[in-house]
Amino acid sequence: MSSSLRRLLSISFPSAKIPDAPLPMPRSLFYLTCTSLFFTTIALIASALDYGVLSLWVTPPTCVITYIFHITVMVLSRRPRNVENPSYFSTVIVCTYIIAVLWCTAFVTTMTVLLGYKDVFTPEVLHGHYGLPTTRDTQRLQCALAAFELATIVALGVQGHLIASKEGDPTSWRPPPIETRSNSIMPIQRAPTDY
């Protein structure tokens, strides 16, 4: 080994730890939300290849509703709240379960088309008659993505439900403001939590 390579390998970098920024919601819910947004994006792209035909137009609207839900939750979780206003955490959990039902419907519909209509939606028919750049593999991908998204949304709802039953509204979810000496309202600094 040459001396310059040894010198290069012996360089040590200062170990400055990057501080954890406060998250707008409990850490586990934030990670599940990011995972859900990833699967939703891929599912929307895969469904756009056949214009939603192979899911009987269920997957694209479900993706859009999931996007709207996650964006609303992210915006709502960043806003400070008044003490007399609710935190809406339990409402978010109920809406998560409703979206899980939509993803279950998307999965069942996509799987039914995949298994039940093998003769109708052949690659020749899809590409020749409809002009769609899709195959049976993209249909299988849609089924898998719908199943992954269903599992992620159910995990998000169950984890939120467990957090709510354990401690009520978590402190990292829209904390109520506190009063300072000058009687002005200041939001609480959010502490990172690991659930």
Side-chain angles (χ1 to χ4, degrees):
M1 192 187 272
S2 70
S3 63
S4 60
L5 183 60
R6 267 185 264 158
R7 196 173 348 137
L8 182 65
L9 292 175
S10 67
I11 294 175
S12 63
F13 295 101
S15 61
K17 185 175 186 225
I18 299 172
D20 289 336
L23 296 175
M25 60 182 64
R27 191 171 299 278
S28 60
L29 298 182
F30 181 74
Y31 292 149
L32 285 169
T33 299
C34 292
T35 304
S36 175
L37 286 171
F38 173 74
F39 285 139
T40 301
T41 302
I42 303 300
L44 185 61
I45 291 169
S47 184
L49 290 175
D50 61 14
Y51 305 119
V53 171
L54 295 179
S55 66
L56 299 180
W57 302 279
V58 175
T59 301
T62 303
C63 290
V64 171
I65 290 169
T66 305
Y67 275 126
I68 292 170
F69 169 73
H70 285 310
I71 290 169
T72 303
V73 168
M74 291 292 217
V75 168
L76 183 63
S77 67
R78 284 278 185 195
R79 294 180 56 204
R81 66 180 170 103
N82 298 329
V83 177
E84 57 271 353
N85 290 343
S87 71
Y88 302 111
F89 189 70
S90 58
T91 306
V92 168
I93 294 169
V94 170
C95 289
T96 303
Y97 288 133
I98 291 170
I99 290 177
V101 170
L102 291 175
W103 277 106
C104 183
T105 304
F107 174 69
V108 168
T109 304
T110 308
M111 191 61 97
T112 302
V113 170
L114 177 67
L115 298 177
Y117 295 97
K118 291 179 182 178
D119 300 332
V120 177
F121 294 115
T122 61
E124 294 81 23
V125 170
L126 289 172
H127 186 65
H129 182 66
Y130 293 109
L132 300 176
T134 186
T135 62
R136 302 291 285 171
D137 294 331
T138 57
Q139 175 68 4
R140 290 182 187 111
L141 176 66
Q142 286 185 51
C143 289
L145 288 170
F148 290 147
E149 182 61 24
L150 173 62
T152 305
I153 290 289
V154 167
L156 184 67
V158 168
Q159 182 67 24
H161 189 85
L162 290 173
I163 291 171
S165 65
K166 180 179 175 183
E167 63 180 73
D169 288 337
T171 56
S172 61
W173 171 262
R174 292 194 69 206
I178 57 171
E179 291 189 27
T180 61
R181 292 180 194 205
S182 64
N183 289 332
S184 65
I185 303 291
M186 299 291 291
I188 294 176
Q189 292 293 327
R190 296 179 183 171
T193 56
D194 292 305
Y195 290 101

